[in-house]
Amino acid sequence: MAKLWTFQDPGEGIHEAEVLKLLVARGDQVKEGQEVLTVETDKASFDLSCPYTGVVEEITVKEGDRIQVGDPLMRIDAAGDAAEVAPPGPAKPAKEAKQEKPTTKTKRETEAEKTVAQPEAEPTEARPEERVQKDEPAPVSSKGAVRERPAQQGPVLASPATRRVARDLKVDLRLVPPSGEGGRVLTDDVRAFAEAGPAEPRAPVAKPGTAVGKQDGKPADTRPSAPVERPVLPDFAQWGEIERMPLRSIRRQTAKRMALSWSQIPHVTHNDVADITELEAFRQRHVKAIEAKGGKLTLTVLVMKAVVAALHEFPRFNASLDPEKEELILKRYYHLGIALDSERGLLVPVIHDVDRKSLTDLAVELFQLAERVRKGDVKREDVSGGTFTITNPGPMGGTTFTPIINYPEVAILGLGRARLQPVVRGTLEQPEIVPRLLLPISFGFDHRINDGADAARFINKVIHTLTNLEAYTLAI
């Protein structure tokens, strides 16, 4: 008897993934618990284990496909089973799943026709926005009521609890008008939408080649607070040769998260310079001893200790904001994300409990984690739970820059390239020019949570710790 295997929720609010590799082919014999598929989310890549024993009758996905929770993956012919046990989740027949994309529009139109199939009212003059967009299908709510609000483009800001309610009520979050701060969709918004409540009419949006302005004497909505529609891209091929490259895997997820962070967090960047001349001498004295233990004592490792010292003193930078409840969530643990470059793109693995580990422990753990990132062997737990992020593009060059906060964190520390520079010391009467190793620091923070004075004090604490070699000697 054939059994359908669907993609199940991997947890942590993840609802979609990309198929990286198929480990079996049609006709292969598989066993329950055997790894048959490699997928990748915005967190990490991992293998999926088949829940059945039998022969692969059909594979409904291919490498490069994007899948969501409930999408069919394979059909397994489990011969000899008395009864088929349906896997949990909104399982759909593979044939229907393949046809889902091209028939979505038809289904919506059918539901709309059923709802609108009532005695016709007297004909009225079409509104301007209806004339501009008369060819576009109207969104449909979960109960079939025609909605005028267009589907939201890009990621929808909503809590995991809200997403669960939306799944239970079969509501598309992209169609729900948000009422929360910063465009967040609340649970009450989903329930109201499910009841097919009236939606506000959308502002007219012109199709390519159609002007939107005064229509029937009514000017278009040009208020500064009016919703901004994403403009239609021009046909770039009219000016020359082009090539389209799909955003895959890590790059696609990075694009989503950066857009989310930049749109939701009012970023401010505080820049300063740290004199690390003595700290570099300290590093050079201990680098070989730590290498002998399997680690690598880098500047990033030393900065991690300085950051934790500052977070202890200024806990509002080790936090997250809950805009729905209007509460600040202070975290009493210190898990630092370290931005690392890889062939697949930027990854941010997390070192947990930095405050409880010695410099040697951190040097060994970060070195081993970086090696796994380069090999693509990163687990979900390796990139989860971060409270603060450090990014260090300094070895590749650059001075100050504007790092983007890793949402839902509220701060990020960026390091530029340390350079030997002339520094003037002494007094106006007796100045002295000496060479010093200076490290540029760029500190991005969420201005909703902290002010510029708070950021300055935080960085002063970091710089003070970097110059306090006695503390580092005790931490080695």
Side-chain angles (χ1 to χ4, degrees), residues 306-361:
V307 164
V308 168
L311 291 176
H312 270 291
E313 192 167 327
F314 303 95
R316 291 169 67 93
F317 290 105
N318 197 59
S320 288
L321 177 66
D322 186 341
E324 289 190 18
K325 296 183 178 179
E326 295 185 339
E327 293 178 346
L328 186 62
I329 304 171
L330 299 176
K331 301 161 190 175
R332 303 304 184 187
Y333 50 91
Y334 303 91
H335 303 341
L336 300 190
I338 309 299
L340 296 177
D341 185 35
S342 72
E343 293 182 357
R344 296 182 297 152
L346 181 67
L347 288 173
V348 187
V350 177
I351 304 293
H352 295 78
D353 299 316
V354 174
D355 57 321
R356 303 179 184 179
K357 296 173 181 176
S358 67
L359 283 174
T360 302
D361 294 335

Side-chain angles (χ1 to χ4, degrees), residues 152 156-158 176-186 264:
Q152 177 177 333
V156 178
L157 185 61
V176 179
S179 66
E181 181 179 349
R184 178 183 290 270
V185 176
L186 306 181
Q264 298 302 316

Side-chain angles (χ1 to χ4, degrees), residues 198-310:
E200 294 183 3
R202 57 180 173 179
V205 181
K207 289 186 176 182
T210 304
V212 177
K214 288 187 177 181
Q215 306 213 18
D216 294 342
K218 297 180 180 180
D221 190 351
T222 57
R223 295 172 299 169
S225 60
V228 178
E229 297 286 348
R230 181 179 300 172
V232 178
L233 290 177
D235 180 12
F236 297 108
Q238 63 182 308
W239 296 298
E241 183 181 353
I242 65 171
E243 178 186 0
R244 285 186 172 269
M245 298 178 60
L247 289 180
R248 294 290 189 188
S249 176
I250 297 296
R251 177 49 53 194
R252 185 181 70 249
Q253 297 300 334
T254 298
K256 288 183 179 180
R257 291 189 65 83
M258 293 301 98
L260 172 67
S261 179
W262 194 253
S263 66
Q264 298 302 316
I265 299 176
H267 284 63
V268 179
T269 304
H270 175 83
N271 297 308
D272 210 328
V273 177
D275 186 338
I276 60 168
T277 308
E278 281 77 18
L279 183 66
E280 175 60 18
F282 170 88
R283 189 186 74 84
Q284 293 290 352
R285 288 197 301 270
H286 295 279
V287 65
K288 290 185 177 180
I290 289 182
E291 283 181 357
K293 297 180 180 180
K296 189 174 182 181
L297 184 59
T298 62
L299 178 61
T300 300
V301 173
L302 299 171
V303 171
M304 289 169 67
K305 274 296 182 183
V307 164
V308 168

Side-chain angles (χ1 to χ4, degrees), residues 368-379:
Q368 294 175 347
L369 192 55
E371 287 296 306
R372 295 207 304 273
V373 167
R374 294 187 184 95
K375 296 177 181 178
D377 184 23
V378 181
K379 308 300 182 184

Side-chain angles (χ1 to χ4, degrees), residues 38-90:
T38 302
V39 299
E40 185 173 57
T41 68
D42 61 338
K43 296 288 187 180
S45 60
F46 53 94
D47 294 329
L48 297 181
S49 301
C50 182
Y52 307 118
T53 297
V55 177
V56 178
E57 183 180 272
E58 182 183 11
I59 299 177
T60 59
V61 295
K62 61 181 183 298
E63 294 180 3
D65 280 357
R66 294 169 62 179
I67 55 176
Q68 296 187 346
V69 172
D71 285 351
L73 301 176
M74 297 181 185
R75 190 178 295 276
I76 309 298
D77 184 7
D81 287 349
E84 180 175 351
V85 180

